[in-house]
Amino acid sequence: MVKEAPLPDRCVKCNAPANGLRLRRSLSWHHPVLYLLIFVGVLIYVILASVLGKRATIYVGLCAEHFQRRRKRIAIGWILLASDFFSRRRFCQ
């Protein structure tokens, strides 16, 4: 796949028509041999992996059902995080 190649307008979960609903995803990768540099030094690995790594931005399609489900679950996650934060503040005083 070429970095600039568009993906089809289909949902990546159920293959239904996405009707233009897309999520932007940034991907990065490097050759697996670079993981051996972790044994030499983590700093060397981080520097070489960031320099030699390849990057691409893709837009994946989601149907309306999966888009709403994703949105709902993200909202629930934020609400749970906030409620945990405030409940810990109240009990720690």
Side-chain angles (χ1 to χ4, degrees):
M1 180 173 163
V2 181
K3 284 197 278 188
E4 295 84 21
L7 294 174
D9 194 28
R10 307 293 290 184
C11 178
V12 295
K13 294 207 170 248
C14 66
N15 202 28
N19 298 326
L21 291 174
R22 299 209 173 241
L23 295 176
R24 180 180 179 213
R25 292 289 173 247
S26 297
L27 306 175
S28 62
W29 66 96
H30 58 71
H31 197 279
V33 174
L34 288 179
Y35 288 118
L36 295 175
L37 291 175
I38 292 175
F39 298 117
V40 176
V42 176
L43 182 62
I44 295 171
Y45 163 73
V46 169
I47 292 171
L48 285 178
S50 64
V51 170
L52 298 176
K54 297 179 182 180
R55 289 166 193 78
T57 300
I58 62 170
Y59 295 89
V60 294
L62 280 180
C63 65
E65 176 187 346
H66 286 111
F67 189 78
Q68 290 300 323
R69 186 182 299 176
R70 177 182 182 274
R71 202 180 224 176
K72 183 178 172 182
R73 289 181 179 173
I74 289 172
I76 289 170
W78 278 109
I79 290 168
L80 288 174
L81 180 69
S83 65
D84 181 55
F85 174 75
F86 289 117
S87 67
R88 288 180 190 262
R89 262 185 81 195
R90 188 178 66 180
F91 288 120
C92 291
Q93 290 180 359

